[in-house]
Amino acid sequence: MIEIQLRGYGKSTHISKDYGSGWYDIWADDVAKASGLLGVGQFVYTGVSHGAGVGWHLIRRHPEKLLAFAGVVCGPHTKDGKDIGDERKRTLECALDEEAWKAYCLERFHRDCADPPEGLSEAERAELVENAQEKYQAFLEMDRWERLISPRKPFPDIETEEGLIRELQKINLPCLFLGGMFDPISTVENMIRTGRAVRDSKTILYQDSDHGLSRRYPRRVAEDIDAFLRGRGCV
């Protein structure tokens, strides 16, 4: 397994330029180029949230590279005339005010830890808190350029839901979509629309989860992806 740091974040080179609606194409091309440099012919791509947005653009720009796509809280966002979602807008509003940013990060941490699922073992509960703490620290340490990255919504050239559905219907690739029933970003409606549109795909919705699905149920998400890929003969 290879984990790729998206350009502009973490240990990658930080970028002051806003690539606007071009971010997802750039990231998708980066992933494709990295696979070539690493000698990987074809691969399964898994992404969470806007990491899943990269997956949509990989399918569009480099389908020959992909064996399958597993998108976690993957939308894509509703085509409602807005080029960014409400959560991204709030992130940008807090980005340049240090006190507002600290409060925003703390709010996200408490939200990630709220209402842990019933039946979790002590180890799973500890893992949930640890994942939330890691995310909190990573957000807190972001510099201004990381905070200001705004990739817009996937498929920025498509303006309507009807157009998006037509685009999704073109996909001919094993696809698994995982979402949370209470996700305000990649909503249930988004996930069901996508599952209906992409032929021969599978959609799994976790009843008691939201956009933090991969942190809430990391092992179960990994197991669901593994079972899907094995069932489709991809691994």
Side-chain angles (χ1 to χ4, degrees):
M1 183 175 70
I2 300 169
E3 181 178 359
I4 292 181
Q5 182 82 70
L6 294 183
R7 186 193 300 206
Y9 287 109
K11 295 180 180 180
S12 72
T13 301
H14 291 188
I15 298 167
S16 58
K17 180 179 178 180
D18 180 12
Y19 290 112
S21 60
W23 273 110
Y24 281 123
D25 283 345
I26 289 169
W27 286 330
D29 292 348
D30 285 346
V31 172
K33 184 176 181 180
S35 72
L37 292 172
L38 293 168
V40 177
Q42 288 186 299
F43 54 88
V44 174
Y45 180 82
T46 300
V48 180
S49 190
H50 66 274
V54 178
W56 293 122
H57 284 245
L58 268 170
I59 292 172
R60 202 182 207 193
R61 295 172 70 81
H62 304 282
E64 75 288 348
K65 289 278 189 179
L66 297 174
L67 293 170
F69 170 49
V72 183
V73 294
C74 57
H77 298 78
T78 304
K79 292 297 179 179
D80 56 4
K82 302 175 184 177
D83 63 353
I84 61 171
D86 292 339
E87 185 67 24
R88 175 65 54 186
K89 183 178 179 182
R90 183 142 180 264
T91 301
L92 296 173
E93 288 171 349
C94 296
L96 297 180
D97 184 311
E98 288 304 317
E99 293 306 312
W101 185 254
K102 290 177 184 177
Y104 176 62
C105 292
L106 188 60
E107 177 191 319
R108 291 179 64 122
F109 171 73
H110 287 308
R111 189 170 64 204
D112 287 343
C113 292
D115 301 320
E118 293 182 11
L120 285 186
S121 67
E122 190 171 317
E124 288 175 321
R125 191 177 293 268
E127 185 177 38
L128 174 69
V129 175
E130 182 181 352
N131 287 339
Q133 288 174 333
E134 287 180 0
K135 179 191 169 190
Y136 168 68
Q137 197 62 39
F139 264 73
L140 203 60
E141 293 174 358
M142 282 184 176
D143 66 24
R144 63 175 299 186
W145 304 120
E146 290 178 276
R147 300 176 193 178
L148 289 171
I149 292 174
S150 182
R152 314 304 193 263
K153 295 179 179 180
F155 304 111
D157 56 307
I158 297 174
E159 298 180 352
T160 66
E161 277 291 297
E162 293 76 15
L164 178 58
I165 289 169
R166 286 193 295 272
E167 183 71 20
L168 295 173
Q169 288 172 336
K170 297 176 185 176
I171 295 172
N172 184 23
L173 181 79
C175 289
L176 174 65
F177 311 125
L178 303 102
M181 296 285 279
F182 294 96
D183 190 338
I185 300 171
S186 292
T187 65
V188 172
E189 291 77 14
N190 293 156
M191 299 298 294
I192 291 174
R193 170 257 281 142
T194 299
R196 283 176 174 166
V198 179
R199 73 186 73 166
D200 200 30
S201 63
K202 181 176 181 178
T203 302
I204 300 175
L205 296 174
Y206 291 67
Q207 185 275 328
D208 60 347
S209 194
D210 55 16
H211 206 65
L213 171 60
S214 62
R215 291 182 300 279
R216 191 175 181 87
Y217 290 122
R219 296 176 190 273
R220 298 181 197 182
V221 167
E223 288 168 0
D224 281 336
I225 294 172
D226 185 64
F228 174 80
L229 295 175
R230 291 184 185 281
R232 298 299 177 92
C234 299
V235 293

